[in-house]
Amino acid sequence: MRTDQPDPRLGQRENREVRRIGDRIFSGLSTGSGIAILAVLALVAGFLIMQGLPALTSPVEELQYKQPFLQYVAPFAFGTVWAALLALLMAVPVSIGIALFISHYAPRRLATSLGYVIDLLAAVPSVVFGLWGIGVLAPLMQPVYRWLEENAGWIPLFAGQASGTGRTILTAAIVLAVMILPIVTALTREVFLQTPRLHEEAALALGATRWEMIKMAVLPFSRSGIVSASMLGLGRALGETMAVAMVLSPSTVISFILIGSTNPNTIAANIALSFPESHGLGVNQLIATGLVLFVITLAVNMLARWIVGRRKEFSGAN
């Protein structure tokens, strides 16, 4: 018996072929994107190694800054890590508190508005933060530093004479903390919101208060996500250039004192300040310090992935 109706199996076969084509395109784009990221990373590393190698192999007498490379870069590497760690110590507790307030305490309308405000902070240029730090924050911190000198000078971190301008490593760290605050807060908030609802309801059903529920259900689940957010903020602080260069009154020293006028500089800020006057092997020296910063940032990210990988089955970030 003849029929003019099409065979439905043909339509299903065509749909499967269309899906396969779409899957191939998506798979190709995803794979290509991953390869492109690795290729860019390799190119950056290759550029830094090729351009920095002359400074590592040339005699000290031929270098513009007349110092062995390790001796030259050590104060800048110390200042980079020291300022970033100070910023992280200040930003992470505040970020966790804001994220908890937005995700578990604030009314929905207030939480939405506050989340938008926090996210907008990430769009503020670093130059604006630098201007705020040098024009507003530094003068405000001067009396605080004088008080710390008079009343807490027996603590090594606050020893010595306080800076008369307020442009100290602590001021720069506060600016960095404000800059990484929206990054850590946004990621931590999303991790908190990924906590299984049943875990929270079970804790409340057993008679736990809201804080006890957060302590038993939310924070353990989000631990790896908090670490990931913190390490991402640390990476941002390690590479910050303009804000630190504008706020900090730098010297080529290794010092833990937070309120003095002699402060360690960072690698990124030193490159920005010294590059216009550099020439010949001096440029290679600065690029070699950039290679050190690249290695430090890579080590921080690898450490973060290792910490997250230890508890990936419990992580809200995976």
Side-chain angles (χ1 to χ4, degrees):
M1 181 177 179
R2 293 185 60 186
T3 175
D4 295 333
Q5 294 181 352
D7 188 349
R9 291 176 295 181
L10 296 176
Q12 294 176 359
R13 190 179 301 113
E14 292 176 357
N15 289 336
R16 284 198 298 270
E17 292 177 356
V18 171
R19 290 196 202 98
R20 290 195 188 101
I21 294 174
D23 290 342
R24 291 195 207 102
I25 294 175
F26 181 76
S27 177
L29 290 174
S30 302
T31 305
S33 300
I35 295 174
I37 292 175
L38 294 176
V40 170
L41 191 64
L43 289 173
V44 171
F47 168 80
L48 293 174
I49 292 173
M50 291 177 61
Q51 295 295 321
L53 194 60
L56 301 177
T57 57
S58 299
V60 177
E61 295 77 14
E62 297 180 6
L63 299 178
Q64 179 180 350
Y65 298 105
K66 307 301 181 183
Q67 285 180 309
F69 178 72
L70 291 179
Q71 182 180 347
Y72 173 73
V73 76
F76 303 128
F78 168 80
T80 300
V81 176
W82 181 229
L85 287 178
L86 290 173
L88 199 67
L89 288 175
M90 290 183 282
V92 170
V94 178
S95 298
I96 293 175
I98 296 174
L100 283 175
F101 177 75
I102 293 175
S103 60
H104 288 85
Y105 285 93
R108 183 178 298 273
R109 183 174 298 178
L110 177 60
T112 302
S113 303
L114 186 58
Y116 287 149
V117 172
I118 295 297
D119 293 339
L120 283 175
L121 278 176
V124 178
S126 58
V127 175
V128 176
F129 283 109
L131 291 173
W132 168 74
I134 195 174
V136 178
L137 182 61
L140 288 177
M141 295 301 294
Q142 288 181 31
V144 177
Y145 294 156
R146 286 196 296 268
W147 184 90
L148 289 173
E149 177 192 359
E150 295 171 359
N151 298 276
W154 53 273
I155 301 175
L157 293 177
F158 307 124
Q161 185 176 1
S163 171
T165 62
R167 299 174 60 182
T168 68
I169 191 69
L170 183 57
T171 303
I174 294 174
V175 174
L176 289 177
V178 175
M179 294 181 68
I180 68 176
L181 188 71
I183 299 174
V184 182
T185 301
L187 294 177
T188 306
R189 177 191 65 205
E190 295 303 320
V191 172
F192 288 159
L193 293 174
Q194 296 299 319
T195 305
R197 189 68 178 175
L198 290 177
H199 292 186
E200 298 180 2
E201 293 177 351
L204 293 173
L206 291 174
T209 62
R210 184 176 296 185
W211 165 240
E212 290 172 339
M213 177 271 292
I214 291 173
K215 186 170 62 174
M216 291 187 298
V218 178
L219 293 180
F221 176 81
S222 307
R223 188 175 303 156
S224 296
I226 295 173
V227 172
S228 298
S230 302
M231 291 301 103
L232 187 61
L234 178 60
R236 174 73 175 87
L238 288 171
E240 177 52 40
T241 304
M242 288 309 301
V244 177
M246 296 172 67
V247 173
L248 191 61
S249 178
S251 301
T252 310
V253 296
I254 296 178
S255 174
F256 288 94
I257 298 176
L258 300 179
I259 63 174
S261 56
T262 303
N263 302 279
N265 202 357
T266 66
I267 292 176
N270 177 65
I271 293 174
L273 294 174
S274 302
F275 200 86
E277 299 178 358
S278 297
H279 56 85
L281 288 176
V283 176
N284 298 107
Q285 276 186 280
L286 295 179
I287 294 177
T289 61
L291 177 62
V292 174
L293 179 59
F294 180 84
V295 172
I296 293 174
T297 306
L298 187 62
V300 166
N301 284 289
M302 292 176 64
L303 176 64
R305 293 312 306 169
W306 177 75
I307 295 174
V308 172
R310 292 182 60 191
R311 289 178 52 87
K312 61 182 179 182
E313 64 271 20
F314 304 107
S315 174
N318 290 302

